[in-house]
Amino acid sequence: MNNMLNDEAIYKKILKSIVEHQLPPGARLPEDKLSEAFGRSRTSIRKVLQRLALERIVTIEPNKGAHVNRPSEQEAQEILDSRIMLEPLLIPEIMKYWSKANSKYFRAMLKEEKQAEANEDQAALIQLTAQFHYELAALSDNSVMADFIQQLCYRSSLIIAVFGSRHSVSCDCGDHLELIDLMDNKQDEKAQDWMKHHLIHIKSSLKLGVSDGQKINFQQLFANTE
Amino acid sequence: MNNMLNDEAIYKKILKSIVEHQLPPGARLPEDKLSEAFGRSRTSIRKVLQRLALERIVTIEPNKGAHVNRPSEQEAQEILDSRIMLEPLLIPEIMKYWSKANSKYFRAMLKEEKQAEANEDQAALIQLTAQFHYELAALSDNSVMADFIQQLCYRSSLIIAVFGSRHSVSCDCGDHLELIDLMDNKQDEKAQDWMKHHLIHIKSSLKLGVSDGQKINFQQLFANTE
DNA sequence: CTAATCAACATTGTATACAATCAACAAAAC
DNA sequence: GTTTTGTTGATTGTATACAATGTTGATTAG
């Protein structure tokens, strides 16, 4: 079993479960249940939950505890817009140090993506898609920016859980390969453009502005069922 | 006295003291002393310190406690580079909703800056300079970006404490007014350029790459003192 | 039968007690 | 005299106890 994990390990386990949609947005995260599951006191769990709350992965309401964050439509737009602004900007920085080894590493990752797609392993697919983006960002020589991008990628996974269509994740799976090709061929501007349009495409695949989520018209919904 | 402040208030008080260099980089932040000062248990203090640690304002070393973060030269460069990238990008977003009221508000803030400069109130000056930048960013319609900029501004205050020359803060004090003028006159591109060069100027005023900080040559330093 | 009130339970918030770790100083060995 | 080792004191790490709050379900009045 999970005997005696340290705080960091607990953090990663919970984060992974959230990113992979095993714990969906809105899910309660009761301290004592988690405390029991990890074999640690509530104190340690609280610490982890507070960290996740600051990273906007979970929300903590006073006296109501922690829930997996359910991003609002506005939050979703802001996060995607930020990524559309930032990730293309980092491409030139990344290409300054782009090497054969890098290319090989990312191509291997894309093989895993294909594999996950073939296995219909949705969890792995979501995780790998995010990983592709933030490991790329990590190759820039600016870890401050890279950390921020990583956070945005994790939060994007929540967005997909709430607003994503079936296609949101899978349809761009072959696409990532195109970027690596462009980078191998030193096509700076094209790579930058590609990244921008890739993210715009993801944003437009989200079901934003379709409904207000809460305001469901039950009358209409169950109109002709009898 | 400070009877019964909530966590948020404690957080703000400590953050303010750090930003204003009352608590300089490297300063120890012992839990029990703070606990005594604020009249709360160590639990509350720990929560605040952990938050500040995630925001990179303080560092927590296991079994050694919390210290005000002393940014490395690399961290300083990364943060300034990030600001040089991002803040100009937000200018067009800000100008979309720029109003007379905004202009008035910021002009008032600049009066305070001038006042602080006249009084040689270094603490207020640092705080107001940072505030100018992050309140401007907050006018964009992207709070995700705005929050990130705010964090970078706070961290910049630490950078100035470590690498800043006397001029770092004060010399750009009149400058901010130029930006407001440009924005009032709808000079988008010039405002963007101005912001970029303003930040580059701040970066270049830092004493980066001068010494390694630690490796002091005492032989050379005290060569001809006798 | 519906609505409101109250009681019991479950969950989080806070403080404190105890264990573990580290730092500094003193004493002893080389 | 220098280095090593050991002991003491201070500080952080963790768990738990108790208080405060929220939620649920039952009981009673309308």
Side-chain angles (χ1 to χ4, degrees), chain B residues 15 18-19 40-41 48 58 62 69-70 74 87 97-98 128 131 134 157 169 172 183 202-204 220 225:
Chain B
L15 177 60
I18 294 175
V19 167
R40 301 290 302 272
S41 78
V48 170
V58 315
N69 184 28
R70 190 199 306 277
Q74 184 179 339
E87 293 194 48
Y97 310 103
W98 184 252
L128 284 165
Q131 193 182 344
Y134 68 70
S157 156
V169 186
D172 61 56
M183 293 184 70
I202 290 176
K203 184 183 175 190
S204 66
Q220 185 185 324
T225 47

Side-chain angles (χ1 to χ4, degrees), chain B residues 141-159:
Chain B
D141 53 353
N142 191 325
S143 66
V144 172
M145 289 291 294
D147 287 351
F148 184 52
I149 299 283
Q150 182 174 24
Q151 225 193 72
L152 294 181
C153 288
Y154 290 144
R155 294 172 74 179
S156 295
S157 156
L158 293 179
I159 293 170

Side-chain angles (χ1 to χ4, degrees), chain B residues 177-195:
Chain B
L177 207 63
E178 291 173 25
L179 177 64
I180 302 300
D181 284 338
L182 287 172
M183 293 184 70
D184 279 347
N185 294 322
K186 310 255 177 245
Q187 310 240 16
D188 288 55
E189 280 192 27
K190 282 194 176 172
Q192 225 173 329
D193 265 19
W194 184 93
M195 180 61 95

Side-chain angles (χ1 to χ4, degrees), chain A residues 180-192:
Chain A
I180 302 299
D181 285 338
L182 287 172
M183 293 183 70
D184 279 348
N185 294 323
K186 309 255 178 246
Q187 311 240 19
D188 287 54
E189 280 193 27
K190 281 194 179 175
Q192 224 171 329

Side-chain angles (χ1 to χ4, degrees), chain A residues 88-147:
Chain A
L89 268 183
L90 290 185
I91 295 278
E93 308 296 319
I94 295 162
M95 291 189 65
K96 270 198 244 169
Y97 310 102
W98 184 252
S99 70
K100 285 260 156 80
N102 293 141
S103 176
K104 208 170 165 187
Y105 176 79
F106 280 93
R107 284 175 193 280
M109 193 188 296
L110 292 179
K111 278 238 176 74
E112 281 192 72
E113 271 192 44
K114 274 255 160 63
Q115 189 69 38
E117 201 182 6
N119 300 346
E120 294 188 4
D121 184 349
Q122 200 73 357
L125 196 51
I126 295 169
Q127 139 69 20
L128 284 165
T129 307
Q131 193 183 346
F132 179 87
H133 280 267
Y134 69 70
E135 288 207 359
L136 203 62
L139 287 183
S140 80
D141 54 352
N142 190 324
S143 66
V144 172
M145 288 292 293
D147 288 350

Side-chain angles (χ1 to χ4, degrees), chain B residues 4 7 40-44 47 62-64:
Chain B
M4 274 302 132
D7 295 346
R40 301 290 302 272
S41 78
R42 273 178 54 215
T43 312
S44 313
K47 191 167 138 188
N63 290 314
K64 289 197 173 181

